[in-house]
Amino acid sequence: KKVVFLDTSTGFKFLSGSTQGSDETIEWEDGNTYPLLKVEISSDSHPFYTGKQKLADAGGRIDKFKKKYNLD
């Protein structure tokens, strides 16, 4: 069924299908009322989609792993 997802960190809303239901409802742009599902992260706030993802230094992680397990 159709539901509205609300990204609580940015206020971004989108209409999609889901099997999840909710007691809360919201009126959508088309004038219909749909169940409202609140999510903490969506494509509007996730670093992968916003381009703000930080890439870790692979060499540093390998050295840290080796040091942690005495593999040097």
Side-chain angles (χ1 to χ4, degrees), residues 26-69:
I26 189 170
E27 186 173 325
W28 188 242
E29 298 163 355
D30 61 5
N32 293 324
T33 302
Y34 297 100
L36 176 66
L37 295 176
K38 295 179 180 176
V39 293
E40 294 179 11
I41 198 160
S42 71
S43 61
D44 191 56
S45 60
H46 192 281
F48 178 80
Y49 295 104
T50 61
K52 297 177 183 173
Q53 184 173 15
K54 296 179 182 177
L55 299 175
D57 176 27
R61 290 187 295 173
I62 293 168
D63 291 339
K64 186 176 178 181
F65 176 83
K66 286 181 178 180
K67 184 178 179 182
K68 181 177 180 179
Y69 293 104

Side-chain angles (χ1 to χ4, degrees), residues 1-16:
K1 60 186 172 183
K2 297 282 185 178
V3 298
V4 174
F5 288 92
L6 169 65
D7 184 332
T8 56
S9 62
T10 63
F12 177 69
K13 295 179 236 170
F14 60 96
L15 181 66
S16 186

